[in-house]
């Protein structure tokens, strides 16, 4: 296990098993061939050829397109491919900031391989010796994704209808008991991206990153049941854990590695340094 192994794991995929999901000349995602062949029977709004999945020309507006995807989402539940819908919706757009062409239930994003966005907040404390400590969350054991794994202080998907700033305030309160005033001190520090094939489909994620410096006496409190407990770890312990174990939620490894680079803990003396740095943003 190495830092680079985590990055490679989050970018392992084979697109030969998928065909593109396209609309209005934009490639919006990727659908496995087996699912693609079933879609016209699910809703006649789907048009499927050997080379792509798209929607019929008469399915033109946002609500109509979203309805076609909603039928597909319900089909995936009925066939057991998805346990349940989340009733939390993500925008499907050609690019970040572009007008969404439709919305999709969070539970079936991977099945359509559409780009999803989220935010992760590194909550850190400056120690008297000049070093840094990072707040680490232990995910609840009943989580569908990565139960019991280690996580950031705050993390969440970016739903349609909220700005990043609004979502940050919401997630900060739910996940760590942090009020809006304190959450507003979080500093945007960039993003990491990855494309990862999973059993469900293809995860194409962009994670917007924030650093939030906290007072030494601050203690986070989870309010939504997603985190079992929080612990404050010296950065050295965090780095060693990421480097040598698989204890962390898969994409949080990337967020922590980025933190290590930006704060000078991981230096160019690291043999894989350049591949690590470039691999965080593919």
């Amino acid at each position: 296990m190495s830092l680079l192994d985590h990055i490679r794991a989050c970018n392992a995929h084979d697109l030969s098993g998928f065909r593109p999901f396209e609309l209005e000349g934009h490639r919006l995602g990727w659908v496995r061939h087996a699912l693609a062949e079933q879609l016209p029977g699910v809703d006649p709004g789907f048009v499927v050829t050997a080379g792509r999945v798209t929607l019929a020309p008469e399915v033109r507006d946002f609500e109509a397109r979203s309805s076609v995807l909603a039928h597909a989402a319900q089909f995936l539940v009925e066939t057991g491919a998805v346990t349940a819908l989340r009733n939390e919706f993500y925008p499907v757009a050609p690019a970040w900031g572009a007008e969404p062409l439709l919305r999709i239930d969070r539970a079936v994003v991977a099945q359509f391989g559409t780009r999803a966005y989220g935010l992760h907040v590194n909550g850190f404390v400056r120690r008297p010796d000049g070093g840094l400590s990072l707040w680490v969350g232990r995910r609840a054991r009943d989580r569908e994704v990565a139960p019991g794994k280690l996580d950031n202080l705050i993390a969440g998907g970016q739903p349609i209808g909220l700005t990043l700033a609004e979502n940050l305030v919401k997630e900060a309160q739910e996940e760590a008991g942090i009020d809006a005033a304190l959450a507003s001190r979080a500093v945007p520090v960039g993003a990491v991206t990855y494309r990862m094939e999973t059993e469900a489909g293809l995860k194409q994620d962009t994670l917007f990153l924030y650093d939030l410096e906290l007072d030494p006496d601050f203690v986070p409190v989870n309010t939504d049941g997603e985190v079992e407990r929080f612990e404050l770890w010296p950065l050295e312990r965090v780095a060693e854990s990421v480097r040598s174990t698989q204890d962390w939620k898969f994409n949080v490894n990337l967020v922590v590695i980025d933190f290590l680079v930006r704060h000078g803990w991981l230096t160019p003396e690291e043999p894989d340094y350049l591949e690590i740095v470039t691999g965080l943003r593919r």
Side-chain angles (χ1 to χ4, degrees), residues 202-236:
L202 195 67
K203 287 182 63 64
Q204 298 196 96
D205 290 353
T206 296
L207 308 179
F208 293 100
L209 309 181
Y210 295 78
D211 283 357
L212 177 60
E213 184 170 356
L214 297 163
D215 294 334
D217 59 353
F218 170 82
V219 178
V221 177
N222 180 248
T223 66
D224 63 3
E226 292 190 6
V227 178
E228 188 176 284
R229 66 180 184 273
F230 289 106
E231 296 179 1
L232 186 62
W233 287 15
L235 195 57
E236 296 80 6

Side-chain angles (χ1 to χ4, degrees), residues 12-20 27 30-34 36 50-51 195 197 202:
H13 61 274
D14 179 4
L15 291 181
S16 68
F18 299 80
R19 67 190 74 180
R27 181 172 293 172
W30 295 87
V31 182
R32 280 207 173 101
H33 298 306
R195 177 187 280 175
E197 186 172 350
L202 195 67

Side-chain angles (χ1 to χ4, degrees), residues 10 43 54 98 114 149 203 219 233 268:
C10 282
D43 191 297
T54 188
T114 55
K149 295 286 189 177
K203 287 182 63 64
V219 178
W233 287 15

Side-chain angles (χ1 to χ4, degrees), residues 22 115 118 133 270:
E22 299 178 348
R115 173 66 63 182
S133 293
E270 178 80 20

Side-chain angles (χ1 to χ4, degrees), residues 251-268:
N251 55 5
V252 177
N253 287 301
L254 276 57
V255 178
V256 173
I257 292 169
D258 178 82
F259 187 88
L260 297 175
V261 171
R262 289 186 294 100
H263 289 269
W265 192 94
L266 193 65
T267 70

Side-chain angles (χ1 to χ4, degrees), residues 15 35 45 55 57 67 71 83 88 94 111 122 126 145 161 180 184 189 199 208 210 214 232 246 248 252 273 276 278:
L15 291 181
L35 174 58
L55 300 182
S67 178
H71 291 158
T83 304
E88 179 182 354
Q111 280 79 2
N122 301 291
R126 295 189 188 276
V145 177
S184 68
V189 291
E199 183 178 350
F208 293 100
Y210 295 78
L214 297 163
L232 186 62
Q246 298 191 55
W248 297 73
V252 177
Y273 184 82
I276 288 171
T278 57

Side-chain angles (χ1 to χ4, degrees), residues 21-41:
F21 173 39
E22 299 178 348
L23 194 59
E24 294 187 356
H26 303 289
R27 181 172 293 172
L28 300 178
W30 295 87
V31 182
R32 280 207 173 101
H33 298 306
L35 174 58
E37 296 295 339
Q38 294 176 292
L39 291 176

Side-chain angles (χ1 to χ4, degrees), residues 16-93:
S16 68
F18 299 80
R19 67 190 74 180
F21 173 39
E22 299 178 348
L23 194 59
E24 294 187 356
H26 303 289
R27 181 172 293 172
L28 300 178
W30 295 87
V31 182
R32 280 207 173 101
H33 298 306
L35 174 58
E37 296 295 339
Q38 294 176 292
L39 291 176
V42 174
D43 191 297
F46 285 108
V47 176
V48 176
T49 68
R52 69 171 184 162
V53 176
T54 188
L55 300 182
E58 60 269 22
V59 185
R60 295 180 179 177
D61 63 49
F62 179 89
E63 290 298 333
R65 291 166 172 170
S66 300
S67 178
V68 172
L69 267 292
H71 291 158
Q74 188 58 46
F75 167 77
L76 289 165
V77 173
E78 292 169 356
T79 58
V82 173
T83 304
L85 299 182
R86 301 284 292 273
N87 293 315
E88 179 182 354
F89 296 94
Y90 283 1
V92 180

